[in-house]
């Protein structure tokens, strides 16, 4: 049922065009006021007669004594906007600033040390944060009370001290109603100097104008309904008192947070459709609220007949708005519901034309500590819905499907009803079983993935100082295998890291501090330090009880797991990682680990998917028949570029957890393979990564010196060398420029299709020797690396060798010509081992990320049909470690954990067909 219309305002309207008319014009209705932008005064008429207010995109204005001189103090576009906002808000004065919180900041500058503020106990998280700051740093006393019960403010009214009453109605996110008129009268009677401030964001001037009910100042986050499209940040302040307007104008001019001309234009455009947008939004919101209430959920929406504040709201507002919230009784269930929707975007904001869904306690109100949230009655399981302008039927259907899929409702008597909390867990288990049966890819299948390491061929170490590095994938790989669990636990096994094993109860992980990253959206540039701290202090064993490398790997794994799985189904599984790469040798072992972990998690949560494979019979299938999948230049089926890019983004996040500030080159090589050139940002050269097309695979001997590296010390040493070269301050720069020239020449040679193989190898050999000599001059080599280089360069080998990575230990790389005799190479390998070095003969420039195909599994045909996507092989639900069964495939787990490192590459390739980037 829609509220009665109250859209008539006693605002100025044009005089009759002719005195002969028999009746005066009627006051304009609100939607007309919104759509009609008039000039603040005669001076603001555009000289060209434009029908839309022009954007005066200028910082300064010419002349002396004019109305405008500097845009910080005033701008014609902003003036038009402020006049328009005042008109639709029943206000004498309006101001536009850079955000809703900027508006509140301007308002609270009225306060002085020793003042007291009375505020509601159900406030927007940002408001609470600012009040906490004022309390802690400005000597302002803040009393949080239940403002929905007006008399509760009486004990806190202190004449001479109480300076501000901060109200919000409906409250966010519980939709509680505050009687603005009654509280205003009570305050003015006892503390006439106190300023009554109302956050009107949720209603907008269309549905509520608090100035008409006794408020002194009203502010809105215009980012929300006034704009309506989430394409700008803005805040507006309105008031009728000249003294307050003067203070507000002074503050805005002083701090310079007035809205920019372009954003003023956008906001002015958005307000024109405010009425028509909100009519659609609140109409749909009523349908959603009625559906949820009918199903049996505790639903908070002032339009429902049982809402405790409905009578008050009907008296002070013209509608019920488009925000509502409901409780499920179970936080985990709520998180699954949020993640199961499709049309409802997961976001902390509201007011846009598209519908949004969120869990306030883990998103917009996460800055309020859990104890305070509990004290204020804010349920952890609360879901907030912000309704957009989509078709109501689609929104209702999408929400209904999410509730069914997560086991929150069931069909009874031809209608959906809520499942009581007492049996909800049992239903969840049944629903999970149904999903397992219908979606084997998520629960009962093993995922087997691999990613290569990397070697920096040229420019290593110097890359830190802005030199271009040429990096390539190395045919030594990290492998990861996931196996299903059904006990709500997640576990890891890192055989290469002191055989470390650990498991965690999924429910015990610190989900309360996770910030949701919806599918398709990117992780912020900075890591979530709260989550990292929570994992370290609440989840991981004490540092002195775990090998450092295993602790770091666990931290990166859990950070990705919680960030990717949050808001969706949290898979229960076991992951094992093994690597033919030497760990901590400068060959990108951590990056290949990060890529493997990111890939498995994205597959398990269905954030990425493999290309479909058409059904075919074994008789019709040719060996190696690729169906309609893409073919790489290696003749292998390709993982799509979109999937690879998504994996790379998340692998980079894991690298950040492991290393703090990685370049991004290691994980990029591990995902995309081949070779690329990387230049760090912050220097004179153009930054970024560029693939080297047509890279020819090369044979290298990688030799691990087994000497630990201190990368930070090495980098600092070169920086100190720069400072100490007083006689020739450019000596280091000359060395770096010479290395840059080598990198440039190597790129040209590697990408030149006309260059013969013999000429290429000869050129690379010379560049390797020259590059190493410059690195020695920079002081980043090590006696062990020099010993490797001397041995490989001696007779009868005469091979070119250089350090790679940061130097100071780690690995050396030796170029092996195509025609080099294998018996001589075997002799060199033996000689290196005799010196206690660890050599690896490998190819450089091969494939990137690989995923074992779920289609080509080599299983026998049954009834003429090849089994569907069963590989990675179906994992028996009861016996993960069972031996091979003649009737079908058993788990890969036992074999994967026990096969030797030397056998691992061959064993992995024999499991089935691999898809590669």
């Amino acid at each position: 049922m829609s509220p009665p219309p109250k859209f008539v305002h006693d605002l100025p309207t044009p005089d009759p065009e002719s005195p002969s008319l028999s009746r005066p014009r009627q006051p304009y209705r609100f939607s007309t006021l919104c759509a009609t932008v008039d000039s603040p005064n005669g001076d603001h008429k555009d000289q060209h007669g434009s029908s839309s207010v022009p954007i005066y995109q200028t910082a300064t204005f010419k002349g002396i004594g004019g109305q405008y001189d500097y845009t910080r103090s005033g701008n014609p576009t902003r003036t038009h906007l402020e006049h328009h906002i005042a008109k639709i808000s029943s206000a004498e004065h309006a101001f536009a600033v850079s955000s809703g919180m900027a508006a509140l900041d301007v308002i609270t500058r009225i306060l002085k040390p020793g003042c007291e503020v009375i505020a509601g106990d159900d406030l927007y998280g940002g408001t609470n944060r600012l009040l906490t700051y004022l309390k802690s740093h400005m000597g302002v006393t803040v009393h949080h009370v239940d403002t929905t019960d007006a008399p509760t403010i009486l004990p806190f009214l202190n004449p001479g001290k109480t300076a501000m009453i901060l109200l919000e109605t409906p409250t966010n996110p519980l939709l509680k109603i505050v009687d603005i008129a009654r509280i205003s009268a009570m305050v003015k009677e006892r503390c006439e100097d106190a300023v009554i401030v109302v956050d009107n964001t949720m209603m907008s001037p269309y549905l509520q104008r608090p100035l008409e009910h006794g408020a002194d100042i009203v502010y809105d986050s215009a980012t929300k309904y006034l704009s309506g499209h989430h394409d700008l940040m803005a805040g507006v302040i309105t008031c009728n008192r000249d003294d307050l307007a003067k203070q507000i104008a002074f503050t805005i001019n002083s701090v310079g947070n007035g809205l920019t001309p372009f954003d003023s234009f956008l906001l002015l455009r958005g307000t024109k459709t405010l009425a028509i947008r909100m009519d659609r939004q609140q109409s749909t919101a009523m349908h959603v609220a009625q559906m949820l209430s009918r199903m049996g959920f505790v639903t908070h929406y002032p339009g429902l007949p049982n809402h405790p504040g409905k009578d008050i709201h009907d008296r002070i507002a013209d509608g019920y708005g488009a925000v509502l919230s409901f409780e499920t009784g179970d936080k985990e269930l709520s998180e699954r519901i949020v993640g199961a929707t499709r049309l409802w975007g997961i976001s902390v904001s509201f007011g846009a034309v598209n519908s949004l869904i969120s869990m306030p306690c883990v998103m917009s109100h996460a800055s309020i500590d859990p104890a305070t949230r509990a004290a204020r009655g804010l349920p952890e399981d609360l879901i907030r819905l912000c309704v957009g302008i989509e078709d109501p039927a689609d929104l209702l259907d999408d929400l209904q499907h999410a509730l069914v899929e997560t086991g929150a409702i069931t069909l009874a008597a031809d209608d959906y009803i809520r499942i009581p909390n007492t049996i909800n867990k049992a239903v969840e288990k049944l629903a999970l079983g149904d999903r397992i049966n219908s979606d084997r890819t998520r629960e009962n299948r093993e995922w087997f993935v691999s990613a290569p390491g990397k070697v920096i061929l040229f420019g290593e170490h110097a890359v830190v100082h802005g030199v271009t590095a040429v990096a390539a994938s190395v045919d030594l790989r990290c492998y990861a295998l996931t196996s299903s669990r059904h006990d709500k636990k997640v576990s890891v096994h890192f055989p290469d890291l002191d055989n470390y094993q650990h498991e965690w109860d999924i429910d015990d992980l610190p989900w309360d501090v996770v910030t949701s990253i919806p599918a398709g959206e990117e992780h912020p540039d900075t890591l979530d330090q709260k989550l990292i701290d929570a994992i370290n202090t609440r989840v991981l064993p004490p540092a002195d009880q775990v090998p450092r490398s295993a602790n770091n790997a666990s931290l990166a794994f859990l950070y990705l797991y919680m960030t990717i799985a949050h808001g969706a189904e949290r898979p229960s599984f076991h992951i094992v990682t093994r690597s033919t790469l030497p760990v901590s040798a400068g060959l990108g072992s951590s990056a290949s680990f990060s890529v493997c972990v990111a890939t498995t998690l994205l597959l398990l949560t269905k954030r990425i998917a493999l290309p479909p494979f058409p059904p075919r019979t074994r008789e019709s299938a040719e060996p190696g028949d690729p169906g309609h999948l893409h073919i790489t230049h290696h003749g292998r089926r390709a993982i799509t570029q979109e999937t690879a890019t998504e994996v790379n983004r998340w692998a980079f996040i894991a690298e950040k957890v492991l290393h703090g500030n990685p370049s991004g080159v290691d994980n990029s090589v591990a995902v995309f393979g081949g070779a690329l050139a990387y230049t760090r940002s912050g220097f004179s050269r153009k930054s970024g990564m560029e693939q080297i097309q047509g890279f020819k695979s090369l044979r290298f001997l990688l030799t691990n010196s087994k000497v630990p590296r201190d990368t930070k010390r090495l980098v600092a040493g070169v920086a100190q060398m720069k400072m100490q070269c007083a006689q020739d301050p450019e000596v280091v720069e000359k060395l770096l420029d010479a290395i840059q020239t080598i990198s440039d020449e190597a790129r040209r040679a590697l990408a030149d299709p006309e260059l013969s193989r013999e000429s290429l190898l000869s050129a690379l050999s010379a560049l390797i020797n020259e590059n190493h000599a410059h690195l020695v001059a920079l002081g980043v080599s090590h006696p062990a690396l020099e010993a490797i280089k001397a041995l490989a360069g001696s007779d009868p080998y005469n091979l070119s060798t250089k350090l790679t990575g940061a130097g100071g230990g780690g690995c050396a790389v030796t170029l092996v010509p195509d025609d080099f005799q294998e018996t001589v190479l075997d002799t060199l390998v033996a000689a290196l081992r005799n010196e206690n070095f660890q050599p690896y003969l490998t190819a450089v420039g091969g494939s990137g990320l690989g995923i074992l195909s779920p289609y080509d599994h080599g299983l026998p045909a049954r009834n003429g049909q090849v089994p569907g996507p069963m590989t990675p092989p179906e994992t028996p639900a009861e016996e993960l470690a069972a031996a091979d069964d003649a009737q079908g495939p058993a788990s890969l787990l036992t074999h994967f954990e026990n096969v030797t490192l030397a056998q691992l590459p061959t064993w992995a390739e024999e499991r089935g067909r691999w898809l590669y980037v």
Side-chain angles (χ1 to χ4, degrees), residues 187-468:
V187 172
K188 296 302 181 184
E189 182 179 345
R190 292 167 176 80
C191 301
E192 60 181 3
D193 293 331
V195 177
I196 298 165
V197 180
V198 178
D199 179 350
N200 197 47
T201 301
M202 196 175 290
M203 288 284 99
S204 84
Y206 180 44
L207 300 181
Q208 186 169 268
R209 291 163 299 283
L211 294 177
E212 297 176 354
H213 301 288
D216 297 300
I217 300 176
V218 177
Y219 73 99
D220 289 54
S221 171
T223 309
K224 314 298 192 297
Y225 289 112
L226 283 168
S227 165
H229 296 80
H230 281 186
D231 53 7
L232 67 92
M233 298 287 290
V236 298
I237 307 170
T238 57
C239 68
N240 284 326
R241 286 173 47 178
D242 294 341
D243 59 328
L244 293 176
K246 186 175 181 180
Q247 293 182 66
I248 292 169
F250 176 83
T251 299
I252 294 172
N253 185 44
S254 299
V255 303
N257 62 353
L259 196 62
T260 66
F262 186 73
D263 285 340
S264 295
F265 166 80
L266 287 178
L267 181 53
L268 188 60
R269 183 174 67 174
T271 60
K272 295 177 182 180
T273 59
L274 171 63
I276 195 169
R277 282 187 282 106
M278 290 214 73
D279 280 344
R280 174 63 169 263
Q281 289 172 282
Q282 70 171 341
S283 172
T284 305
M286 177 66 82
H287 289 303
V288 173
Q290 289 172 341
M291 181 187 78
L292 291 170
S293 180
R294 184 176 64 251
M295 289 176 176
F297 293 99
V298 176
T299 308
H300 306 279
Y301 186 65
L304 294 175
N306 59 350
H307 191 284
K310 186 177 186 302
D311 291 341
I312 297 173
H313 187 79
D314 286 343
R315 175 162 47 83
I316 63 175
D318 296 331
Y320 302 122
V323 177
L324 65 143
S325 59
F326 69 102
E327 302 172 35
T328 68
D330 186 294
K331 183 180 178 182
E332 292 181 4
L333 176 61
S334 295
E335 289 176 342
R336 291 198 299 274
I337 292 170
V338 169
T341 58
R342 293 185 179 180
L343 280 178
W344 302 79
I346 303 175
S347 175
V348 296
S349 192
F350 62 89
V353 293
N354 54 296
S355 296
L356 304 173
I357 188 170
S358 67
M359 286 186 66
C361 287
V362 295
M363 296 174 69
S364 59
H365 290 61
S367 60
I368 304 175
D369 66 88
T372 302
R373 293 198 300 262
R376 295 179 184 176
L378 187 58
E380 295 290 315
D381 62 294
L382 190 73
I383 296 176
R384 189 183 71 178
L385 299 172
C386 308
V387 181
I389 65 170
E390 301 94 339
D391 190 285
D394 292 332
L395 288 174
L396 292 168
D397 181 70
D398 183 54
L399 182 58
Q400 192 176 82
H401 271 84
L403 294 169
V404 171
E405 289 173 11
T406 55
I409 61 175
T410 188
L411 187 63
D414 296 325
D415 199 2
Y416 287 104
I417 62 170
R418 179 190 175 194
I419 299 174
N421 289 336
T422 54
I423 61 171
N424 189 262
K425 291 295 183 182
V427 174
E428 284 181 27
K429 186 175 182 180
L430 291 174
L432 178 61
D434 289 340
R435 288 197 300 277
I436 290 172
N437 292 330
S438 63
D439 189 1
R440 309 287 295 187
T441 62
R442 180 169 295 188
E443 288 295 333
N444 266 5
R445 114 174 0 175
E446 293 179 317
W447 284 107
F448 195 20
V449 305
S450 71
K454 70 90 180 62
V455 60
I456 300 183
L457 301 177
F458 300 98
E460 51 277 273
H461 188 87
V463 68
V464 177
H465 302 277
V467 171
T468 301

Side-chain angles (χ1 to χ4, degrees), residues 449-452 476-480 577-581 589 592-593 596:
V449 305
S450 71
L476 298 171
R477 304 176 76 86
C478 178
Y479 297 84
T577 63
R578 299 192 66 188
S579 179
T580 57
L581 283 160
S589 58
S592 56
F593 167 83
C596 287

Side-chain angles (χ1 to χ4, degrees), residues 99-105 107-108 111 117-135 142 144 164-169 171-172 197-201 219-221 224 350 364-368 376:
S99 70
M101 288 310 302
L104 182 58
D105 177 61
I107 294 167
T108 56
L111 301 172
V117 175
I118 300 174
D121 60 359
D122 182 22
L123 296 172
Y124 168 57
T127 303
N128 187 82
R129 188 163 50 241
L130 180 58
L131 292 177
T132 300
Y133 179 87
L134 294 173
K135 185 177 181 179
V142 180
H144 288 283
M164 185 174 293
I165 316 296
L166 183 56
L167 307 175
E168 184 179 336
T169 183
T171 63
N172 179 17
V197 180
V198 178
D199 179 350
N200 197 47
T201 301
Y219 73 99
D220 289 54
S221 171
K224 314 298 192 297
F350 62 89
S364 59
H365 290 61
S367 60
I368 304 175
R376 295 179 184 176

Side-chain angles (χ1 to χ4, degrees), residues 640-792:
T640 64
Q641 191 79 6
E642 180 182 8
T643 292
T645 300
E646 182 71 2
V647 169
N648 196 38
R649 290 195 190 105
W650 284 102
F652 183 57
I653 299 302
E655 281 282 84
K656 281 190 173 184
V657 177
L658 290 167
H659 299 299
N661 186 27
S663 66
V665 63
D666 288 17
N667 51 274
S668 295
V669 171
V671 170
F672 295 102
L676 58 81
Y678 168 76
T679 307
R680 190 177 182 184
S681 61
F683 296 87
S684 58
R685 300 177 186 87
K686 182 181 178 181
S687 63
M689 282 182 278
E690 179 182 347
Q691 266 194 307
I692 301 176
Q693 301 296 332
F695 182 87
K696 299 96 177 172
S697 181
L698 303 167
R699 276 209 308 172
F700 273 89
L701 188 66
L702 305 180
T703 306
N704 185 6
S705 69
K706 299 184 181 179
V707 175
R709 299 164 299 123
D710 188 342
T711 304
K712 291 182 180 179
R713 182 184 63 79
L714 293 165
V715 173
V718 175
Q720 187 177 14
M721 187 178 175
K722 281 185 179 181
M723 298 175 60
Q724 291 177 344
C725 291
Q727 295 181 346
D728 188 359
E730 296 184 357
V731 64
V732 174
E733 291 298 336
K734 290 177 180 177
L735 289 171
L736 296 176
D737 288 342
I739 296 174
Q740 177 67 49
T741 300
I742 292 171
S743 293
D744 291 340
E745 291 182 9
R747 288 177 64 185
R748 285 192 291 270
L750 291 168
D752 187 355
E754 304 297 327
L755 194 64
S756 68
R757 183 74 173 182
E758 182 179 0
S759 298
L760 172 65
L761 292 171
S762 176
L764 292 179
S765 178
L767 292 174
I768 283 173
N769 292 329
E770 186 179 351
N771 195 171
H772 184 81
H774 292 320
L775 293 171
V776 171
L778 286 174
V780 298
S781 188
H782 188 277
L785 296 176
E786 295 304 317
I788 295 170
K789 178 175 174 59
L791 181 55

Side-chain angles (χ1 to χ4, degrees), residues 732-868:
V732 174
E733 291 298 336
K734 290 177 180 177
L735 289 171
L736 296 176
D737 288 342
I739 296 174
Q740 177 67 49
T741 300
I742 292 171
S743 293
D744 291 340
E745 291 182 9
R747 288 177 64 185
R748 285 192 291 270
L750 291 168
D752 187 355
E754 304 297 327
L755 194 64
S756 68
R757 183 74 173 182
E758 182 179 0
S759 298
L760 172 65
L761 292 171
S762 176
L764 292 179
S765 178
L767 292 174
I768 283 173
N769 292 329
E770 186 179 351
N771 195 171
H772 184 81
H774 292 320
L775 293 171
V776 171
L778 286 174
V780 298
S781 188
H782 188 277
L785 296 176
E786 295 304 317
I788 295 170
K789 178 175 174 59
L791 181 55
S794 64
D795 287 332
Y797 315 117
N798 300 314
L799 299 178
S800 297
T801 301
K802 60 184 291 299
L803 66 86
T804 186
C811 280
V813 292
T814 302
L815 179 63
V816 180
D818 296 339
D819 57 357
F820 198 78
Q821 294 183 15
E822 294 301 322
T823 55
V824 178
L825 184 60
D826 291 341
T827 304
L828 174 58
V829 169
L832 289 167
R833 285 176 177 159
N834 287 336
E835 297 296 328
N836 199 32
F837 300 128
Q838 181 61 56
Y840 300 86
L841 182 61
T842 186
V844 169
S847 300
L849 168 66
I851 304 175
L852 190 61
S853 168
Y855 306 103
D856 289 324
H857 38 62
L859 298 180
R862 295 178 181 177
N863 298 324
Q865 292 290 325
V866 176

